[in-house]
Amino acid sequence: MSNVGIVIVSHSPKVAEGAADMVRQMVGDDVPLAWAGGNGAGGLGTDFAEIAAAIERAWSEAGVAILVDLGGAETNSEMAVEALPDDKRAKVVICNAPIVEGAVIAATEASGGAPLHVVRRTAEELSP
Amino acid sequence: MFDAALRKRLLSAAAQTIVAHTDELTALDSAIGDGDHGFNMKRGFEAVQGSADAFAAMSAPEMLKAAGMKLVTTVGGASGPLYGTLLMSLGKALPEAPTRAEAVEAFAKAIEAVKARGKSDVGQKTLLDVLAPTLAALQAGADSAAVAQTARQAAEATAPLRAIRGRASFLGERSIGHVDPGARSACLLIAALCEVWSEYA
């Protein structure tokens, strides 16, 4: 698929999955979408390997925009992005935006074929 | 001699002190954070302990990189990337057989990497408030006991600070009066490593 992919990373699998459900309702299958949530041991937290896998699932040649909630979601996502091969790393961004609203608006923008930097900017316009 | 046996003792000492203080770290984090620091660190360091033989068989730089990656993949909280970055950066900066000066210089680089990873700096009530004074003590030529003492005092000194980074920052003024859990875990690790090192040195 040529549309930008969206990855949602929350400490809570329920939040991540629920945000992904809202994105699907808006854009259907027009946008590659994946989520990662929880610490891998059934608790709240974020998991480096799960985030890396989610980036793979949502992969698009147009790039991937990641939406995160709190601290560890961002730092673990940064590490997952840095672990990507050079050619892929350049096509992944972490958006400074509220996770639910950011995911929905980023996906809506992506579904119209917008390039990665526009998808990111649109999501980040939500942050004061 | 800085051999595999000593490397394994250092890894084990780090894991043991975290496991022994899990409840304390959890209590500190429950006061000003999300209460997961103890369990997250325990999970990560038990995983490191589980691979201690394989890690200790590596050179010191490779061991640090492998242990750091293990923490990143198992801790599951913000402390995973922070401690993982510390160890991996230390491994990258360390020569195979470093002099003391080279080791201290590598530690300084690793601390800079943690600052970049956490977008944080000294004075913001984080593990950096222990790492930076520890580095200063090492640079000043302090022995193991003095380094451990510096780390302990530095951790205590985070109590009056107001958190600027991490979950504790949401509490604002209410974060004042509590020792930072990341500073406490850093001090525990440094004290445990210093104790093993003092027997070696």
Side-chain angles (χ1 to χ4, degrees), chain B residues 169-201:
Chain B
S169 64
F170 299 169
L171 291 174
E173 297 284 327
R174 284 176 289 154
S175 68
I176 295 171
H178 301 275
V179 169
D180 178 66
R184 178 64 180 149
S185 59
C187 127
L188 289 169
L189 289 167
I190 290 162
L193 297 176
C194 283
E195 197 175 321
V196 174
W197 196 261
S198 67
E199 295 167 27
Y200 158 75

PDB file of all heavy atoms in Angstrom, chain B residues 169-201:
ATOM      1  N   SER B 169       6.666  14.142  37.070  1.00  0.00           N
ATOM      2  CA  SER B 169       6.533  15.565  36.746  1.00  0.00           C
ATOM      3  C   SER B 169       5.068  16.000  36.745  1.00  0.00           C
ATOM      4  O   SER B 169       4.763  17.168  36.947  1.00  0.00           O
ATOM      5  CB  SER B 169       7.173  15.869  35.395  1.00  0.00           C
ATOM      6  OG  SER B 169       6.490  15.184  34.356  1.00  0.00           O
ATOM      7  N   PHE B 170       4.137  15.037  36.545  1.00  0.00           N
ATOM      8  CA  PHE B 170       2.712  15.389  36.562  1.00  0.00           C
ATOM      9  C   PHE B 170       2.294  15.878  37.945  1.00  0.00           C
ATOM     10  O   PHE B 170       1.314  16.609  38.082  1.00  0.00           O
ATOM     11  CB  PHE B 170       1.838  14.181  36.187  1.00  0.00           C
ATOM     12  CG  PHE B 170       2.101  13.630  34.806  1.00  0.00           C
ATOM     13  CD1 PHE B 170       1.557  12.420  34.417  1.00  0.00           C
ATOM     14  CD2 PHE B 170       2.882  14.314  33.885  1.00  0.00           C
ATOM     15  CE1 PHE B 170       1.779  11.903  33.157  1.00  0.00           C
ATOM     16  CE2 PHE B 170       3.124  13.807  32.624  1.00  0.00           C
ATOM     17  CZ  PHE B 170       2.579  12.594  32.249  1.00  0.00           C
ATOM     18  N   LEU B 171       3.030  15.442  38.977  1.00  0.00           N
ATOM     19  CA  LEU B 171       2.680  15.808  40.343  1.00  0.00           C
ATOM     20  C   LEU B 171       3.171  17.202  40.714  1.00  0.00           C
ATOM     21  O   LEU B 171       2.740  17.760  41.715  1.00  0.00           O
ATOM     22  CB  LEU B 171       3.277  14.799  41.328  1.00  0.00           C
ATOM     23  CG  LEU B 171       2.683  13.385  41.315  1.00  0.00           C
ATOM     24  CD1 LEU B 171       3.489  12.487  42.233  1.00  0.00           C
ATOM     25  CD2 LEU B 171       1.229  13.394  41.738  1.00  0.00           C
ATOM     26  N   GLY B 172       4.099  17.744  39.915  1.00  0.00           N
ATOM     27  CA  GLY B 172       4.612  19.082  40.192  1.00  0.00           C
ATOM     28  C   GLY B 172       5.196  19.178  41.596  1.00  0.00           C
ATOM     29  O   GLY B 172       6.044  18.378  41.975  1.00  0.00           O
ATOM     30  N   GLU B 173       4.672  20.136  42.371  1.00  0.00           N
ATOM     31  CA  GLU B 173       5.182  20.386  43.719  1.00  0.00           C
ATOM     32  C   GLU B 173       5.096  19.137  44.609  1.00  0.00           C
ATOM     33  O   GLU B 173       5.881  18.941  45.520  1.00  0.00           O
ATOM     34  CB  GLU B 173       4.365  21.501  44.389  1.00  0.00           C
ATOM     35  CG  GLU B 173       4.456  22.859  43.704  1.00  0.00           C
ATOM     36  CD  GLU B 173       5.763  23.561  43.990  1.00  0.00           C
ATOM     37  OE1 GLU B 173       6.281  23.373  45.103  1.00  0.00           O
ATOM     38  OE2 GLU B 173       6.267  24.273  43.092  1.00  0.00           O
ATOM     39  N   ARG B 174       4.095  18.300  44.340  1.00  0.00           N
ATOM     40  CA  ARG B 174       3.879  17.133  45.200  1.00  0.00           C
ATOM     41  C   ARG B 174       4.970  16.073  45.031  1.00  0.00           C
ATOM     42  O   ARG B 174       5.033  15.117  45.805  1.00  0.00           O
ATOM     43  CB  ARG B 174       2.493  16.523  44.935  1.00  0.00           C
ATOM     44  CG  ARG B 174       1.365  17.327  45.557  1.00  0.00           C
ATOM     45  CD  ARG B 174       0.013  16.753  45.190  1.00  0.00           C
ATOM     46  NE  ARG B 174      -0.302  16.994  43.785  1.00  0.00           N
ATOM     47  CZ  ARG B 174      -1.115  16.236  43.053  1.00  0.00           C
ATOM     48  NH1 ARG B 174      -1.673  15.172  43.580  1.00  0.00           N
ATOM     49  NH2 ARG B 174      -1.366  16.541  41.801  1.00  0.00           N
ATOM     50  N   SER B 175       5.800  16.218  44.001  1.00  0.00           N
ATOM     51  CA  SER B 175       6.917  15.273  43.867  1.00  0.00           C
ATOM     52  C   SER B 175       8.035  15.598  44.852  1.00  0.00           C
ATOM     53  O   SER B 175       8.916  14.780  45.095  1.00  0.00           O
ATOM     54  CB  SER B 175       7.461  15.306  42.429  1.00  0.00           C
ATOM     55  OG  SER B 175       8.085  16.548  42.145  1.00  0.00           O
ATOM     56  N   ILE B 176       7.977  16.799  45.442  1.00  0.00           N
ATOM     57  CA  ILE B 176       9.013  17.214  46.386  1.00  0.00           C
ATOM     58  C   ILE B 176       8.859  16.437  47.696  1.00  0.00           C
ATOM     59  O   ILE B 176       7.738  16.257  48.178  1.00  0.00           O
ATOM     60  CB  ILE B 176       8.915  18.740  46.645  1.00  0.00           C
ATOM     61  CG1 ILE B 176       9.237  19.503  45.348  1.00  0.00           C
ATOM     62  CG2 ILE B 176       9.832  19.174  47.780  1.00  0.00           C
ATOM     63  CD1 ILE B 176       8.972  20.993  45.409  1.00  0.00           C
ATOM     64  N   GLY B 177       9.993  15.982  48.241  1.00  0.00           N
ATOM     65  CA  GLY B 177       9.964  15.263  49.515  1.00  0.00           C
ATOM     66  C   GLY B 177      10.135  13.764  49.368  1.00  0.00           C
ATOM     67  O   GLY B 177      10.228  13.052  50.363  1.00  0.00           O
ATOM     68  N   HIS B 178      10.135  13.272  48.137  1.00  0.00           N
ATOM     69  CA  HIS B 178      10.319  11.838  47.904  1.00  0.00           C
ATOM     70  C   HIS B 178      11.609  11.603  47.120  1.00  0.00           C
ATOM     71  O   HIS B 178      11.880  12.321  46.151  1.00  0.00           O
ATOM     72  CB  HIS B 178       9.153  11.263  47.087  1.00  0.00           C
ATOM     73  CG  HIS B 178       7.824  11.435  47.745  1.00  0.00           C
ATOM     74  ND1 HIS B 178       7.353  10.547  48.685  1.00  0.00           N
ATOM     75  CD2 HIS B 178       6.879  12.394  47.618  1.00  0.00           C
ATOM     76  CE1 HIS B 178       6.156  10.952  49.093  1.00  0.00           C
ATOM     77  NE2 HIS B 178       5.852  12.071  48.465  1.00  0.00           N
ATOM     78  N   VAL B 179      12.370  10.584  47.539  1.00  0.00           N
ATOM     79  CA  VAL B 179      13.549  10.185  46.763  1.00  0.00           C
ATOM     80  C   VAL B 179      13.078   9.646  45.417  1.00  0.00           C
ATOM     81  O   VAL B 179      12.095   8.903  45.341  1.00  0.00           O
ATOM     82  CB  VAL B 179      14.359   9.108  47.520  1.00  0.00           C
ATOM     83  CG1 VAL B 179      15.421   8.488  46.626  1.00  0.00           C
ATOM     84  CG2 VAL B 179      14.997   9.712  48.770  1.00  0.00           C
ATOM     85  N   ASP B 180      13.765  10.013  44.347  1.00  0.00           N
ATOM     86  CA  ASP B 180      13.398   9.529  43.018  1.00  0.00           C
ATOM     87  C   ASP B 180      13.735   8.044  42.887  1.00  0.00           C
ATOM     88  O   ASP B 180      14.858   7.632  43.188  1.00  0.00           O
ATOM     89  CB  ASP B 180      14.150  10.330  41.951  1.00  0.00           C
ATOM     90  CG  ASP B 180      13.829   9.804  40.569  1.00  0.00           C
ATOM     91  OD1 ASP B 180      12.671   9.936  40.155  1.00  0.00           O
ATOM     92  OD2 ASP B 180      14.728   9.238  39.923  1.00  0.00           O
ATOM     93  N   PRO B 181      12.783   7.228  42.441  1.00  0.00           N
ATOM     94  CA  PRO B 181      13.045   5.780  42.347  1.00  0.00           C
ATOM     95  C   PRO B 181      14.181   5.433  41.370  1.00  0.00           C
ATOM     96  O   PRO B 181      14.953   4.503  41.637  1.00  0.00           O
ATOM     97  CB  PRO B 181      11.709   5.184  41.878  1.00  0.00           C
ATOM     98  CG  PRO B 181      10.822   6.320  41.550  1.00  0.00           C
ATOM     99  CD  PRO B 181      11.374   7.559  42.157  1.00  0.00           C
ATOM    100  N   GLY B 182      14.290   6.175  40.282  1.00  0.00           N
ATOM    101  CA  GLY B 182      15.383   5.915  39.331  1.00  0.00           C
ATOM    102  C   GLY B 182      16.732   6.264  39.933  1.00  0.00           C
ATOM    103  O   GLY B 182      17.733   5.566  39.713  1.00  0.00           O
ATOM    104  N   ALA B 183      16.762   7.349  40.705  1.00  0.00           N
ATOM    105  CA  ALA B 183      18.005   7.719  41.396  1.00  0.00           C
ATOM    106  C   ALA B 183      18.371   6.648  42.423  1.00  0.00           C
ATOM    107  O   ALA B 183      19.545   6.289  42.585  1.00  0.00           O
ATOM    108  CB  ALA B 183      17.833   9.078  42.086  1.00  0.00           C
ATOM    109  N   ARG B 184      17.357   6.125  43.088  1.00  0.00           N
ATOM    110  CA  ARG B 184      17.599   5.090  44.094  1.00  0.00           C
ATOM    111  C   ARG B 184      18.113   3.805  43.437  1.00  0.00           C
ATOM    112  O   ARG B 184      19.062   3.193  43.929  1.00  0.00           O
ATOM    113  CB  ARG B 184      16.304   4.820  44.867  1.00  0.00           C
ATOM    114  CG  ARG B 184      16.403   3.721  45.915  1.00  0.00           C
ATOM    115  CD  ARG B 184      17.359   4.053  47.045  1.00  0.00           C
ATOM    116  NE  ARG B 184      17.402   2.949  48.019  1.00  0.00           N
ATOM    117  CZ  ARG B 184      18.465   2.626  48.738  1.00  0.00           C
ATOM    118  NH1 ARG B 184      19.582   3.317  48.630  1.00  0.00           N
ATOM    119  NH2 ARG B 184      18.419   1.619  49.596  1.00  0.00           N
ATOM    120  N   SER B 185      17.520   3.387  42.328  1.00  0.00           N
ATOM    121  CA  SER B 185      17.997   2.158  41.684  1.00  0.00           C
ATOM    122  C   SER B 185      19.412   2.368  41.147  1.00  0.00           C
ATOM    123  O   SER B 185      20.251   1.456  41.219  1.00  0.00           O
ATOM    124  CB  SER B 185      17.038   1.689  40.585  1.00  0.00           C
ATOM    125  OG  SER B 185      16.863   2.648  39.571  1.00  0.00           O
ATOM    126  N   ALA B 186      19.705   3.555  40.646  1.00  0.00           N
ATOM    127  CA  ALA B 186      21.064   3.825  40.155  1.00  0.00           C
ATOM    128  C   ALA B 186      22.067   3.722  41.297  1.00  0.00           C
ATOM    129  O   ALA B 186      23.147   3.133  41.154  1.00  0.00           O
ATOM    130  CB  ALA B 186      21.118   5.216  39.515  1.00  0.00           C
ATOM    131  N   CYS B 187      21.708   4.269  42.454  1.00  0.00           N
ATOM    132  CA  CYS B 187      22.610   4.223  43.607  1.00  0.00           C
ATOM    133  C   CYS B 187      22.796   2.798  44.099  1.00  0.00           C
ATOM    134  O   CYS B 187      23.902   2.389  44.465  1.00  0.00           O
ATOM    135  CB  CYS B 187      22.099   5.183  44.684  1.00  0.00           C
ATOM    136  SG  CYS B 187      21.872   4.517  46.296  1.00  0.00           S
ATOM    137  N   LEU B 188      21.734   2.001  44.086  1.00  0.00           N
ATOM    138  CA  LEU B 188      21.848   0.593  44.493  1.00  0.00           C
ATOM    139  C   LEU B 188      22.809  -0.155  43.572  1.00  0.00           C
ATOM    140  O   LEU B 188      23.659  -0.935  44.031  1.00  0.00           O
ATOM    141  CB  LEU B 188      20.477  -0.088  44.451  1.00  0.00           C
ATOM    142  CG  LEU B 188      19.472   0.315  45.519  1.00  0.00           C
ATOM    143  CD1 LEU B 188      18.098  -0.245  45.180  1.00  0.00           C
ATOM    144  CD2 LEU B 188      19.924  -0.163  46.897  1.00  0.00           C
ATOM    145  N   LEU B 189      22.659   0.076  42.272  1.00  0.00           N
ATOM    146  CA  LEU B 189      23.513  -0.620  41.303  1.00  0.00           C
ATOM    147  C   LEU B 189      24.972  -0.210  41.478  1.00  0.00           C
ATOM    148  O   LEU B 189      25.875  -1.052  41.506  1.00  0.00           O
ATOM    149  CB  LEU B 189      23.045  -0.308  39.875  1.00  0.00           C
ATOM    150  CG  LEU B 189      21.713  -0.951  39.494  1.00  0.00           C
ATOM    151  CD1 LEU B 189      21.165  -0.343  38.203  1.00  0.00           C
ATOM    152  CD2 LEU B 189      21.873  -2.463  39.339  1.00  0.00           C
ATOM    153  N   ILE B 190      25.197   1.098  41.620  1.00  0.00           N
ATOM    154  CA  ILE B 190      26.574   1.591  41.763  1.00  0.00           C
ATOM    155  C   ILE B 190      27.204   1.045  43.044  1.00  0.00           C
ATOM    156  O   ILE B 190      28.349   0.586  43.040  1.00  0.00           O
ATOM    157  CB  ILE B 190      26.586   3.136  41.745  1.00  0.00           C
ATOM    158  CG1 ILE B 190      26.248   3.624  40.333  1.00  0.00           C
ATOM    159  CG2 ILE B 190      27.944   3.687  42.197  1.00  0.00           C
ATOM    160  CD1 ILE B 190      25.804   5.065  40.262  1.00  0.00           C
ATOM    161  N   ALA B 191      26.434   1.055  44.146  1.00  0.00           N
ATOM    162  CA  ALA B 191      26.969   0.551  45.417  1.00  0.00           C
ATOM    163  C   ALA B 191      27.318  -0.934  45.315  1.00  0.00           C
ATOM    164  O   ALA B 191      28.365  -1.376  45.805  1.00  0.00           O
ATOM    165  CB  ALA B 191      25.954   0.784  46.536  1.00  0.00           C
ATOM    166  N   ALA B 192      26.454  -1.712  44.643  1.00  0.00           N
ATOM    167  CA  ALA B 192      26.706  -3.155  44.514  1.00  0.00           C
ATOM    168  C   ALA B 192      27.945  -3.416  43.653  1.00  0.00           C
ATOM    169  O   ALA B 192      28.773  -4.275  43.976  1.00  0.00           O
ATOM    170  CB  ALA B 192      25.482  -3.835  43.910  1.00  0.00           C
ATOM    171  N   LEU B 193      28.077  -2.662  42.571  1.00  0.00           N
ATOM    172  CA  LEU B 193      29.234  -2.839  41.685  1.00  0.00           C
ATOM    173  C   LEU B 193      30.521  -2.411  42.393  1.00  0.00           C
ATOM    174  O   LEU B 193      31.557  -3.068  42.272  1.00  0.00           O
ATOM    175  CB  LEU B 193      29.040  -2.039  40.390  1.00  0.00           C
ATOM    176  CG  LEU B 193      27.847  -2.472  39.539  1.00  0.00           C
ATOM    177  CD1 LEU B 193      27.687  -1.545  38.341  1.00  0.00           C
ATOM    178  CD2 LEU B 193      27.979  -3.918  39.064  1.00  0.00           C
ATOM    179  N   CYS B 194      30.436  -1.320  43.168  1.00  0.00           N
ATOM    180  CA  CYS B 194      31.612  -0.839  43.900  1.00  0.00           C
ATOM    181  C   CYS B 194      32.078  -1.867  44.928  1.00  0.00           C
ATOM    182  O   CYS B 194      33.291  -2.027  45.153  1.00  0.00           O
ATOM    183  CB  CYS B 194      31.296   0.491  44.602  1.00  0.00           C
ATOM    184  SG  CYS B 194      31.294   1.889  43.503  1.00  0.00           S
ATOM    185  N   GLU B 195      31.116  -2.555  45.544  1.00  0.00           N
ATOM    186  CA  GLU B 195      31.487  -3.528  46.567  1.00  0.00           C
ATOM    187  C   GLU B 195      32.276  -4.685  45.946  1.00  0.00           C
ATOM    188  O   GLU B 195      33.316  -5.099  46.469  1.00  0.00           O
ATOM    189  CB  GLU B 195      30.222  -4.065  47.249  1.00  0.00           C
ATOM    190  CG  GLU B 195      30.542  -4.746  48.566  1.00  0.00           C
ATOM    191  CD  GLU B 195      29.289  -5.168  49.305  1.00  0.00           C
ATOM    192  OE1 GLU B 195      28.294  -4.405  49.279  1.00  0.00           O
ATOM    193  OE2 GLU B 195      29.318  -6.270  49.883  1.00  0.00           O
ATOM    194  N   VAL B 196      31.802  -5.187  44.800  1.00  0.00           N
ATOM    195  CA  VAL B 196      32.538  -6.241  44.111  1.00  0.00           C
ATOM    196  C   VAL B 196      33.907  -5.713  43.669  1.00  0.00           C
ATOM    197  O   VAL B 196      34.936  -6.390  43.832  1.00  0.00           O
ATOM    198  CB  VAL B 196      31.740  -6.765  42.889  1.00  0.00           C
ATOM    199  CG1 VAL B 196      32.575  -7.757  42.091  1.00  0.00           C
ATOM    200  CG2 VAL B 196      30.438  -7.405  43.342  1.00  0.00           C
ATOM    201  N   TRP B 197      33.891  -4.507  43.145  1.00  0.00           N
ATOM    202  CA  TRP B 197      35.134  -3.932  42.610  1.00  0.00           C
ATOM    203  C   TRP B 197      36.182  -3.735  43.702  1.00  0.00           C
ATOM    204  O   TRP B 197      37.389  -3.926  43.477  1.00  0.00           O
ATOM    205  CB  TRP B 197      34.843  -2.604  41.918  1.00  0.00           C
ATOM    206  CG  TRP B 197      35.967  -2.158  41.049  1.00  0.00           C
ATOM    207  CD1 TRP B 197      36.932  -1.256  41.342  1.00  0.00           C
ATOM    208  CD2 TRP B 197      36.265  -2.657  39.736  1.00  0.00           C
ATOM    209  NE1 TRP B 197      37.813  -1.142  40.295  1.00  0.00           N
ATOM    210  CE2 TRP B 197      37.434  -1.999  39.316  1.00  0.00           C
ATOM    211  CE3 TRP B 197      35.666  -3.595  38.895  1.00  0.00           C
ATOM    212  CZ2 TRP B 197      38.008  -2.230  38.051  1.00  0.00           C
ATOM    213  CZ3 TRP B 197      36.237  -3.834  37.658  1.00  0.00           C
ATOM    214  CH2 TRP B 197      37.394  -3.151  37.249  1.00  0.00           C
ATOM    215  N   SER B 198      35.727  -3.365  44.914  1.00  0.00           N
ATOM    216  CA  SER B 198      36.673  -3.089  45.997  1.00  0.00           C
ATOM    217  C   SER B 198      37.441  -4.370  46.388  1.00  0.00           C
ATOM    218  O   SER B 198      38.608  -4.311  46.777  1.00  0.00           O
ATOM    219  CB  SER B 198      35.942  -2.515  47.211  1.00  0.00           C
ATOM    220  OG  SER B 198      35.094  -3.498  47.773  1.00  0.00           O
ATOM    221  N   GLU B 199      36.740  -5.516  46.260  1.00  0.00           N
ATOM    222  CA  GLU B 199      37.428  -6.775  46.554  1.00  0.00           C
ATOM    223  C   GLU B 199      38.445  -7.106  45.463  1.00  0.00           C
ATOM    224  O   GLU B 199      39.485  -7.694  45.720  1.00  0.00           O
ATOM    225  CB  GLU B 199      36.412  -7.924  46.633  1.00  0.00           C
ATOM    226  CG  GLU B 199      35.451  -7.777  47.791  1.00  0.00           C
ATOM    227  CD  GLU B 199      34.277  -8.747  47.660  1.00  0.00           C
ATOM    228  OE1 GLU B 199      34.453  -9.807  47.037  1.00  0.00           O
ATOM    229  OE2 GLU B 199      33.197  -8.422  48.163  1.00  0.00           O
ATOM    230  N   TYR B 200      38.121  -6.692  44.256  1.00  0.00           N
ATOM    231  CA  TYR B 200      38.999  -6.980  43.112  1.00  0.00           C
ATOM    232  C   TYR B 200      40.224  -6.072  43.110  1.00  0.00           C
ATOM    233  O   TYR B 200      41.330  -6.493  42.833  1.00  0.00           O
ATOM    234  CB  TYR B 200      38.189  -6.814  41.815  1.00  0.00           C
ATOM    235  CG  TYR B 200      38.993  -6.567  40.569  1.00  0.00           C
ATOM    236  CD1 TYR B 200      39.702  -7.598  39.947  1.00  0.00           C
ATOM    237  CD2 TYR B 200      39.048  -5.289  40.009  1.00  0.00           C
ATOM    238  CE1 TYR B 200      40.431  -7.367  38.799  1.00  0.00           C
ATOM    239  CE2 TYR B 200      39.790  -5.050  38.863  1.00  0.00           C
ATOM    240  CZ  TYR B 200      40.467  -6.101  38.264  1.00  0.00           C
ATOM    241  OH  TYR B 200      41.196  -5.851  37.137  1.00  0.00           O
ATOM    242  N   ALA B 201      39.999  -4.791  43.480  1.00  0.00           N
ATOM    243  CA  ALA B 201      41.051  -3.779  43.328  1.00  0.00           C
ATOM    244  C   ALA B 201      42.137  -3.883  44.396  1.00  0.00           C
ATOM    245  O   ALA B 201      42.177  -4.612  45.270  1.00  0.00           O
ATOM    246  CB  ALA B 201      40.458  -2.387  43.391  1.00  0.00           C
TER     247      ALA B 201
END
